[in-house]
Amino acid sequence: MRSDHAIKVGSGDSSLEAKFYWNEDRFQHTICGASGKVWFRSAAPSELIDSPYPNLVVPVYCEIHQQDEVLFLSGNGGACYWSACVRESPTRASGVGIEFDVAVRISSPPERLGTLYASSSSGSDRASLYADLDSTNAIVERLPDQSIVLADSVDPSSRTTVRYQYEVFLPR
């Protein structure tokens, strides 16, 4: 049995928590608000079929290590070797956030790389999914019941490491 892990930022009504749990063959996660209500849930592999990107290659995390309030994830699936760091976003006066810094080493570039979130029906309009504003390496697409964080285009002619960053941000 693989143990669950979580990172919580903020306090009171202005808090967010990323909870990682084992599902099928990988760790998935939810983003919850102060009340524990799920706002976003990383989509299961079977949910990719209904996404606008059915060939989207999503992270496969099989190991999690926690050091204080930082989570380190790693795993592999197919021709992709994934790693990620999940931590509190740098301090912002305007709210709290959880930062996801994802890297993937690819030996056979897929059509698209990214993270797919299913929005919860009990979601909140207070939490938003943002791409890193200091970078052009991620694109966020918002749909009625899904949010997709896409890595910028991947060069199909080379083996490479692709990195994309994003955060879930809750304004105060």
Side-chain angles (χ1 to χ4, degrees):
M1 179 76 180
R2 305 208 183 217
S3 62
D4 296 351
H5 292 269
I7 181 170
K8 186 173 183 176
V9 300
S11 61
D13 288 341
S14 294
S15 65
L16 286 172
E17 186 172 27
K19 296 179 180 181
F20 289 81
Y21 59 95
W22 188 255
N23 185 28
E24 297 178 23
D25 63 346
R26 67 191 71 200
F27 280 100
Q28 288 181 245
H29 63 279
T30 57
I31 306 295
C32 303
S35 66
K37 188 183 302 186
V38 174
W39 290 342
F40 298 104
R41 178 183 50 78
S42 61
S46 58
E47 293 176 281
L48 292 174
I49 296 165
D50 296 328
S51 91
Y53 298 98
N55 297 324
L56 179 70
V57 175
V58 297
V60 176
Y61 299 124
C62 301
E63 299 290 332
I64 295 182
H65 303 281
Q66 186 162 1
Q67 184 174 356
D68 299 322
E69 291 301 313
V70 179
L71 297 176
F72 301 97
L73 300 96
S74 63
N76 69 304
C80 298
Y81 296 88
W82 296 88
S83 63
C85 175
V86 180
R87 65 186 181 118
E88 182 172 7
S89 296
T91 305
R92 291 178 176 223
S94 59
V96 296
I98 298 176
E99 177 183 83
F100 292 77
D101 189 344
V102 180
V104 57
R105 177 78 179 147
I106 50 179
S107 59
S108 176
E111 184 179 321
R112 291 303 268 174
L113 290 168
T115 305
L116 176 66
Y117 285 96
S119 300
S120 172
S121 59
S122 62
S124 167
D125 56 355
R126 290 189 64 213
S128 299
L129 199 59
Y130 289 103
D132 183 353
L133 300 178
D134 297 327
S135 168
T136 58
N137 66 358
I139 302 160
V140 176
E141 289 191 20
R142 291 173 186 82
L143 305 169
D145 58 350
Q146 296 176 331
S147 291
I148 305 166
V149 180
L150 296 170
D152 215 3
S153 60
V154 178
D155 179 0
S157 65
S158 69
R159 303 170 110 192
T160 189
T161 298
V162 174
R163 180 180 178 201
Y164 63 101
Q165 300 162 280
Y166 63 99
E167 71 175 347
V168 177
F169 179 72
L170 178 65
R172 291 194 200 277

